[in-house]
Amino acid sequence: MEIRNFCIIAHIDHGKSTLADRLLEFTGTVTRREMKEQLLDDLALERQRGITIKARSVSMRYIHQGTPYEVNLIDTPGHVDFQYEVSRSLSCCEGALLLVDAFQGVEAQTVANAYNAMEHDLKIIPVINKIDLMHARADEVTEEMESSLGIDPDDVVRCSAKAGIGIEELMTAIIERVPAPTGDANAPLQAMVFDSNYDDFRGAITYVRMMNGTVKKGQKIKFLRAGSVHEVVELGQFVPQRKSCTELTAGQVGYLICNIKSLADVHIGDTVSTPGNDAAEPLAGYQRPKRMVYCGLYPSDGQEFSDLRDALERLAINDPSFEFEPETSDALGFGFRCGFLGLLHMEIVQQRLESESDIDLVQTAPNVTYEIVDTRGNKREIHKPQDVPDPNDIAEFRQPIVRCNIVVPSECIGTVMKLCQDRRGILRGNEYLSPTRSMISYDIPLAEVIYDLHDKIKSGTRGYGTLDYELIGYEPANLVRMDILVNGNRVDALSIICDRGDADRRGRAVAKKLKSEIERHMFEVAVQAAVGSRVIARETVPAMRKNVTAKCYGGDITRKRKLLQKQKEGKKRMKAIGSVEISQKAFMSVLSSG
Ligand code: GTP
């Protein structure tokens, strides 16, 4: 059978899931009655956030001018944190629908995704979606696509995923423009692992794109990078539910089930081949997922440590890009240092933990991964401020730099440039997409981006600015560890790594913020920020004058009870530093103080 493999790339909310649903319906893969809204976004959390987190695939059958086709849609995640997974999905396709909202126009991720697809040599079918909107501006958006990406206006397909307009034309374009996969069914087995998920009954399910050869049920396969050998217990395709078959051959997209108990044993980007001497070459482009953001997670009640560990283990089974290891903090007791692909990934994991288990969490300020070269020339990675060695031992302190592409309304360029410059950004490019919209590129330390840049760009552009970034490497910087002391005790969980020039300002801000968050005690509480032994800021929380409940004596007993109850609830999220109690809110406030 003829095969076409394609994906849909789009900026968030431009209608990717809706269009996928419409294509499944149009090809009869799913009937309208069966159609759940947004079928491909099947994780509850994804639906909540409206972001496709994990790539999925679905095989459709379609007859075009009398010829039957197998048309495989590979879904790609839309967020920057998951770029590596996007890139693996792209290498499984020959074509991509570049979907742009007829009102919103070209956005930062549209450009990033389009370049990515071009680098993978995909045939791009430009699509303008939502033409049913009253305020659609399809002609202008076509111009934006032409000027920013060199798209030929004659190639653009216009559709409305919601109203079902232009779907047949789109299907025809996929069949006629996307090249058929090349690959030899008789060559040695070579398949790309582009995704995996975990099934409670079947274990790991590995998503593959067959590049060469044939894989059959019952045969032995080898993951070339991991080096592990397994027997194929079941294989098949998603239509969209799992449907088993007896073999998959070059060009097809499907799944393998091999009795693998943990997702950690399936690496996205790995190559499936056969054990022995006639194995194929591993496919190019394999990378380990790199955790770029770390934070500490602690149960606010020390008793819940083992519950938290169980919850994290459960999570890690389903998400191999998340990692955790135990750590102890003087202030917070026993907890875990957790690594994430980015900030969004961190938020998702945290939300899952909170919704799937009933543990009260304290989270420390996130930090990026740093590199330190010590005076003996040894290089190591730093995942938390506490691990920063004595300044005298550091020969070079390096931080990750990202290339940011920012699409903004032209009148906001000045504001956004200032934001980037204030965050040590270096201008790399500035071009007009249309008379009213521009794209600027900056190289900026990732720490500054995760700190507040995204929010600041949104608020500085009334929500219209969009940001996308990719890691370009590590560069030496003048960084220091800043500590926070409460009554002379260092609160290890509040230490941060920042630029030396920023330390004073941030120290003052953190101390001030903490002062306003720490409740009064029976004694004076001193809050200090320090770099090494040098105190750079100090605030004092005055002592409390009387007992909070004193004024209730002899008075309204219910009110007193309420007050005590409130205090008790508050206590649950409290941590003692020496004899000072600090709330989780106070810890979190360090994050938001600039
Ligand atoms: P992510 O999953 O967040 O990446 O978003 P998405 O690109 O998959 O977008 P989704 O399909 O969830 O659509 C976003 C919003 O746009 C939803 O409210 C859709 O109902 C709406 N939408 C999608 N296609 C159309 C269209 O053709 N016309 C109109 N008017 N609205 C549409």
Side-chain angles (χ1 to χ4, degrees):
M1 194 175 340
E2 287 273 347
I3 300 174
R4 296 291 181 271
N5 296 317
F6 76 104
C7 58
I8 307 176
I9 52 181
H11 192 81
I12 285 171
D13 276 349
H14 283 197
K16 190 174 68 169
S17 310
T18 313
L19 180 63
D21 287 357
R22 198 60 62 235
L23 291 173
L24 297 193
E25 198 181 289
F26 180 73
T27 53
T29 314
V30 175
T31 62
R32 195 171 258 276
R33 196 170 51 82
E34 289 167 336
M35 175 70 69
K36 274 191 304 175
E37 270 282 319
Q38 311 236 322
L39 197 79
L40 293 188
D41 285 336
D42 57 359
L43 271 151
L45 196 72
E46 283 181 44
R47 198 172 310 195
Q48 245 174 34
R49 304 186 123 255
I51 296 168
T52 310
I53 297 169
K54 294 289 285 178
R56 298 269 178 267
S57 80
V58 57
S59 298
M60 301 176 262
R61 297 283 179 272
Y62 185 62
I63 296 177
H64 177 69
Q65 296 177 348
T67 310
Y69 287 84
E70 172 182 324
V71 182
N72 296 308
L73 166 58
I74 295 178
D75 195 24
T76 55
H79 192 273
V80 283
D81 285 0
F82 306 98
Q83 272 314 326
Y84 173 62
E85 289 178 21
V86 174
S87 154
R88 293 303 84 204
S89 302
L90 294 181
S91 44
C92 295
C93 304
E94 281 75 31
L97 304 186
L98 178 65
L99 192 67
V100 180
D101 183 307
F103 174 64
Q104 304 285 341
V106 171
E107 297 285 13
Q109 275 166 261
T110 317
V111 179
N113 284 326
Y115 281 146
N116 208 345
M118 290 171 190
E119 275 166 28
H120 284 87
D121 285 331
L122 301 194
K123 173 72 193 175
I124 292 182
I125 302 179
V127 184
I128 294 184
N129 184 32
K130 308 199 189 180
I131 54 164
D132 59 303
L133 288 174
M134 288 276 289
H135 43 283
R137 42 181 200 99
D139 292 339
E140 275 171 66
V141 172
T142 306
E143 269 174 44
E144 286 181 15
M145 293 174 91
E146 187 179 4
S147 64
S148 58
L149 299 162
I151 299 284
D152 182 345
D154 292 338
D155 288 348
V156 176
V157 180
R158 296 183 181 193
C159 75
S160 164
K162 195 167 174 181
I165 305 166
I167 305 301
E168 186 167 0
E169 290 83 328
L170 193 53
M171 210 59 212
T172 306
I174 294 167
I175 300 285
E176 291 180 351
R177 296 193 216 167
V178 176
T182 54
D184 179 356
N186 299 314
L189 171 61
Q190 188 189 42
M192 161 77 82
V193 176
F194 67 90
D195 197 6
S196 64
N197 68 2
Y198 193 80
D199 183 280
D200 286 338
F201 302 103
R202 309 301 308 265
I205 298 181
T206 308
Y207 291 56
V208 290
R209 154 71 201 266
M210 300 293 298
M211 296 298 180
N212 283 300
T214 303
V215 60
K216 295 194 169 86
K217 188 177 166 176
Q219 87 167 77
K220 287 252 188 307
I221 54 150
K222 181 174 181 182
F223 288 114
L224 295 183
R225 307 274 176 187
S228 54
V229 175
H230 304 274
E231 185 184 318
V232 179
V233 189
E234 181 185 321
L235 50 76
Q237 291 186 306
F238 292 93
V239 293
Q241 68 283 13
R242 243 171 32 219
K243 184 176 175 215
S244 65
C245 60
T246 51
E247 63 173 43
L248 290 171
T249 67
Q252 287 191 294
V253 175
Y255 69 88
L256 306 176
I257 295 178
C258 310
N259 273 336
I260 298 173
K261 293 285 171 261
S262 163
L263 272 196
D265 298 329
V266 180
H267 302 273
I268 292 177
D270 204 342
T271 305
V272 176
S273 190
T274 45
N277 294 334
D278 50 356
E281 286 293 303
L283 294 157
Y286 175 75
Q287 277 172 21
R288 287 178 175 283
K290 190 157 174 56
R291 285 104 196 163
M292 292 311 300
V293 175
Y294 282 79
C295 79
L297 287 181
Y298 291 82
S300 59
D301 177 354
Q303 301 297 319
E304 291 177 333
F305 175 77
S306 59
D307 293 348
L308 178 56
R309 186 180 50 216
D310 292 347
L312 291 172
E313 272 167 6
R314 271 199 308 277
L315 255 175
I317 286 178
N318 283 300
D319 182 356
S321 46
F322 161 67
E323 90 183 348
F324 66 99
E325 59 177 35
E327 74 169 357
T328 41
S329 146
D330 300 338
L332 302 176
F334 293 101
F336 296 92
R337 175 107 310 228
C338 304
F340 311 90
L341 299 174
L343 264 196
L344 178 91
H345 188 211
M346 180 174 88
E347 277 176 35
I348 292 167
V349 167
Q350 236 184 318
Q351 280 195 8
R352 278 198 191 152
L353 275 177
E354 272 166 21
S355 64
E356 288 168 17
S357 56
D358 197 22
I359 306 168
D360 249 346
L361 288 175
V362 178
Q363 183 217 313
T364 64
N367 59 267
V368 300
T369 304
Y370 295 91
E371 284 177 4
I372 281 186
V373 183
D374 65 22
T375 42
R376 291 171 301 283
N378 301 321
K379 192 174 95 172
R380 64 174 142 135
E381 276 195 0
I382 297 285
H383 296 157
K384 56 179 167 182
Q386 293 91 305
D387 288 347
V388 175
D390 189 87
N392 297 327
D393 288 340
I394 302 176
E396 202 164 79
F397 205 150
R398 297 184 189 145
Q399 63 174 342
I401 306 290
V402 290
R403 167 83 35 98
C404 296
N405 288 319
I406 309 164
V407 174
V408 293
S410 300
E411 75 262 20
C412 303
I413 289 187
T415 318
V416 172
M417 286 182 129
K418 178 154 189 339
L419 282 173
C420 295
Q421 247 127 21
D422 288 349
R423 282 160 188 75
R424 286 164 232 289
I426 297 170
L427 183 65
R428 294 293 180 202
N430 183 359
E431 61 182 286
Y432 281 96
L433 295 181
S434 72
T436 54
R437 288 153 51 83
S438 300
M439 183 166 80
I440 34 186
S441 307
Y442 268 94
D443 290 352
I444 308 180
L446 178 61
E448 304 278 352
V449 177
I450 69 164
Y451 184 49
D452 67 353
L453 184 65
H454 197 220
D455 292 347
K456 285 274 167 23
I457 287 180
K458 279 276 171 219
S459 55
T461 59
R462 298 184 315 279
Y464 289 120
T466 52
L467 164 76
D468 194 278
Y469 59 83
E470 60 174 334
L471 180 70
I472 52 170
Y474 278 74
E475 280 178 14
N478 195 359
L479 299 166
V480 290
R481 184 182 82 200
M482 185 185 72
D483 297 320
I484 298 294
L485 308 160
V486 172
N487 272 3
N489 297 310
R490 191 178 88 178
V491 189
D492 51 7
L494 290 187
S495 297
I496 57 166
I497 296 170
C498 66
D499 206 88
R500 191 181 296 274
D502 276 348
D504 280 15
R505 185 177 57 84
R506 288 187 62 176
R508 274 198 300 276
V510 172
K512 207 162 175 175
K513 193 81 183 229
L514 259 184
K515 178 195 169 184
S516 68
E517 297 287 346
I518 294 180
E519 285 181 15
R520 289 187 178 199
H521 285 62
M522 301 305 288
F523 45 85
E524 208 176 77
V525 176
V527 181
Q528 294 170 310
V531 171
S533 55
R534 191 170 65 91
V535 173
I536 53 177
R538 182 195 159 106
E539 296 282 343
T540 309
V541 185
M544 179 159 58
R545 267 190 281 145
K546 34 175 157 114
N547 190 315
V548 266
T549 58
K551 56 178 169 295
C552 305
Y553 280 142
D556 181 355
I557 185 73
T558 37
R559 185 160 160 242
K560 185 174 164 189
R561 234 187 246 136
K562 254 191 207 152
L563 209 55
L564 286 172
Q565 181 60 31
K566 232 176 158 179
Q567 278 187 333
K568 215 169 118 207
E569 279 165 15
K571 279 261 166 53
K572 278 205 306 204
R573 285 178 178 255
M574 288 288 188
K575 287 288 166 188
I577 308 297
S579 48
V580 182
E581 300 237 297
I582 301 186
S583 68
Q584 177 176 5
K585 195 161 156 249
F587 285 117
M588 293 309 288
S589 73
V590 175
L591 259 178
S592 56
S593 49

